[in-house]
Amino acid sequence: MPAKKHRKELTVTMVSKLKAPIETGARLWVADLLVPGFGVRVTDKGSKTYVLRTRYPGEVNASRREIGKVGEIELTDARDKARGWLKLIAEGKNPAEVETKKRDVQIERDATTVNAILDHFVKRHASKLRSEDQITSALDHYVRPWIGGTSIYDLKRRQIVEMLDAVEDKAGPVMADRVLAHVRKAFNWQTARDDDFLSPVVRGMARTKPKERARQRVLTDDEIRDIWRALETADVPSCYPRYVTMLLLTMTRRNESADMNAAEIEGDLWTIPGERYKNKLDHVIPLSPGAKALIGTKPKGFKGNTWFVFSTTDGRRPFSGFSKAKVSLDSEIAKLRKAEGRAKMPRWTLHDLRRTARTLMSRAKVPEDHAERAMGHVIAGVRGTYDRYSFLEEKRDAFQKLADLVTIIIKPPTDNVVPFAGAVH
């Protein structure tokens, strides 16, 4: 059935009030006074569509082509699109062919954006690394918002430098260099796969020197006591105090303890498998009684013996909310210090606990070689085939001395408290 025709200057209000024709199969056509051939078509079902009626290149008679449905495209945008089509037609070009070409170019461009390359990098490379969460967090927070939508073939060194400037201003030079390292790795990974891509990352972009980046932070006794006191009242997951304690008592790195699984423990020995240890070798840690007590019991209802010791999901997944918990802990420490009229505690990280524990071992008169082995370092001269149980008793003694010293620090004898093996949590 032919459409009923009207010709008016279309407005948003007018279009919204247009009603469907009563007759079945009928259509209402309202032409716009501002743009020739442009208008809105309303079906008997109430569907409203912006349309351009004109003679397109290669056609003998005029025809209507849909510009977009009302609600999916604004009136002003639809009108501008109609003007653009009329201009192309005047130049002898078919709007459909032009838009298809633009769409193909955009699809090709989207496949080469920094975001797309980072997606592939994370999936095929970073996902296999223990540091995956750190890499993805840095990329998501600092790289994607700044250059994510840019094609890697259009990316300039200037954009990398400006991005690093922004990271340095927001999070400091060390974080800027970490972001740079992740970006350099991702771009080098892409370069190995792409004959046409040349990484814009060059020497001289780093903000610090390696020696300057190396942290030397060792917690004082007062700071250790402040952390333990704050852990008792901080708004953190129930597993977090045990987790922080384990970091200090075993001198492990953040993810090594976070991913601790009951299947890795036999008696008082915790074996961290080489696939998730930094030097790629199995690392055996004799757990002191205090450290062993931190493991707890198998979550109720959990089947098997592969539950994660530190978990907020009843052992199904390892603890991962590091940042949020650390913020809550730092806030509680600041509150305690302020209440006692003491200065704010200098910035510290969970990894500082590992360095602190190593220092405490020296303080407890643990021989240097034994302390280094307890820390998981391979001593120069050790035979190529590494015996993971070598110096086991020496390491057991080292970890026990560490636990005893931590106990004395947390509750000094001067407090009239009898020291006990392990740590307070």
Side-chain angles (χ1 to χ4, degrees):
M1 184 176 292
K4 296 181 179 180
K5 301 179 180 178
H6 300 276
R7 190 172 180 82
K8 300 179 180 180
E9 180 181 337
L10 296 178
T11 65
V12 173
T13 301
M14 178 194 303
V15 172
S16 68
K17 291 183 178 180
L18 291 176
K19 297 185 180 299
I22 298 176
E23 299 178 46
T24 301
R27 294 180 180 180
L28 173 65
W29 166 252
V30 181
D32 183 32
L33 286 174
L34 298 183
V35 180
F38 174 68
V40 62
R41 182 175 58 189
V42 186
T43 69
D44 59 333
K45 303 295 184 181
S47 175
K48 302 176 183 179
T49 307
Y50 292 117
V51 175
L52 179 65
R53 184 181 186 279
T54 188
R55 186 169 66 83
Y56 293 86
E59 295 183 347
V60 177
N61 300 315
S63 63
R64 294 190 180 99
R65 294 188 186 178
E66 181 179 314
I67 285 180
K69 294 188 179 299
V70 175
E72 294 179 1
I73 184 173
E74 298 293 334
L75 171 60
T76 53
D77 294 335
R79 188 179 275 138
D80 288 343
K81 190 172 182 178
R83 290 192 179 102
W85 282 14
L86 290 172
K87 182 179 178 181
L88 290 172
I89 292 170
E91 297 171 354
K93 300 175 182 177
N94 191 319
E97 294 176 358
V98 172
E99 291 200 349
T100 298
K101 186 175 181 180
K102 283 184 178 179
R103 209 162 32 242
D104 291 344
V105 170
Q106 187 60 47
I107 291 173
E108 184 177 350
R109 179 182 175 82
D110 289 344
T112 62
T113 61
V114 172
N115 276 336
I117 299 308
L118 293 180
D119 288 342
H120 289 303
F121 170 71
V122 170
K123 179 181 179 180
R124 295 190 175 276
H125 178 74
S127 61
K128 302 172 185 177
L129 304 177
R130 292 187 298 273
S131 55
E132 177 191 2
D133 59 336
Q134 299 174 37
I135 295 173
T136 54
S137 177
L139 296 177
D140 291 347
H141 283 87
Y142 301 115
V143 181
R144 294 181 187 272
W146 195 271
I147 60 174
T150 305
S151 169
I152 59 173
Y153 303 111
D154 297 333
L155 195 60
K156 306 298 182 184
R157 294 176 186 173
R158 169 184 52 79
Q159 292 172 276
I160 301 294
V161 172
E162 290 174 349
M163 176 189 72
L164 295 174
D165 286 343
V167 177
E168 182 175 7
D169 292 342
K170 183 178 181 180
V174 174
M175 177 56 74
D177 281 352
R178 288 176 184 166
V179 170
L180 174 62
H182 298 324
V183 171
R184 179 188 290 112
K185 184 70 174 178
F187 286 173
N188 287 345
W189 179 85
Q190 178 64 21
T191 299
R193 295 164 168 259
D194 189 338
D195 293 333
D196 300 321
F197 176 62
L198 182 63
S199 175
V201 176
V202 297
R203 294 184 64 181
M205 289 184 171
R207 306 309 163 97
T208 63
K209 296 179 181 179
K211 288 184 179 179
E212 294 173 348
R213 291 196 297 269
R215 284 180 60 81
Q216 301 296 327
R217 181 89 158 89
V218 173
L219 300 172
T220 66
D221 289 5
D222 280 342
E223 289 172 336
I224 294 173
R225 280 190 285 270
D226 287 341
I227 292 171
W228 258 244
R229 288 174 57 202
L231 284 171
E232 295 177 355
T233 54
D235 183 18
V236 294
S238 59
C239 68
Y240 191 68
R242 293 187 296 114
Y243 164 69
V244 173
T245 306
M246 185 67 82
L247 287 175
L248 183 63
L249 293 185
T250 59
M251 294 198 298
T252 45
R253 299 174 183 86
R254 191 182 75 170
N255 284 359
E256 290 164 2
S257 277
D259 294 344
M260 185 182 197
N261 193 290
E264 299 171 351
I265 302 164
E266 184 176 352
D268 69 343
L269 299 182
W270 171 26
T271 302
I272 305 176
E275 57 264 27
R276 67 182 193 86
Y277 201 69
K278 188 173 183 179
N279 61 15
K280 306 300 182 183
L281 300 171
D282 288 357
H283 178 46
V284 180
I285 298 177
L287 298 171
S288 63
K292 182 74 181 295
L294 299 172
I295 297 172
T297 58
K298 182 167 68 174
K300 187 177 180 180
F302 193 96
K303 296 181 180 179
N305 192 40
T306 58
W307 49 278
F308 290 99
V309 172
F310 305 110
S311 172
T312 57
T313 56
D314 293 326
R316 293 189 300 276
R317 294 186 299 276
F319 172 72
S320 60
F322 306 107
S323 298
K324 185 177 180 180
K326 180 64 161 50
V327 169
S328 297
L329 177 57
D330 285 341
S331 176
E332 194 66 17
I333 293 172
K335 191 186 302 182
L336 290 173
R337 287 192 161 222
K338 184 177 181 180
E340 296 173 1
R342 292 186 290 147
K344 186 178 179 179
M345 183 169 165
R347 178 180 173 275
W348 68 286
T349 68
L350 292 178
H351 194 74
D352 293 336
L353 292 170
R354 176 173 163 84
R355 194 179 303 105
T356 299
R358 174 62 182 85
T359 303
L360 292 178
M361 274 197 178
S362 293
R363 183 168 147 190
K365 308 301 182 185
V366 175
E368 183 177 352
D369 281 0
H370 298 170
E372 288 297 300
R373 288 186 174 92
M375 203 173 194
H377 291 167
V378 178
I379 308 302
V382 172
R383 65 184 184 274
T385 303
Y386 187 74
D387 180 358
R388 67 179 185 174
Y389 289 105
S390 64
F391 293 88
L392 188 60
E393 290 307 315
E394 288 82 355
K395 288 196 293 183
R396 180 176 279 112
D397 180 66
F399 281 114
Q400 186 57 60
K401 286 181 177 178
L402 170 62
D404 291 341
L405 182 53
V406 169
T407 297
I408 293 172
I409 291 172
I410 300 302
K411 290 191 174 182
T414 52
D415 290 347
N416 294 321
V417 176
V418 178
F420 60 93
V424 177
H425 49 91

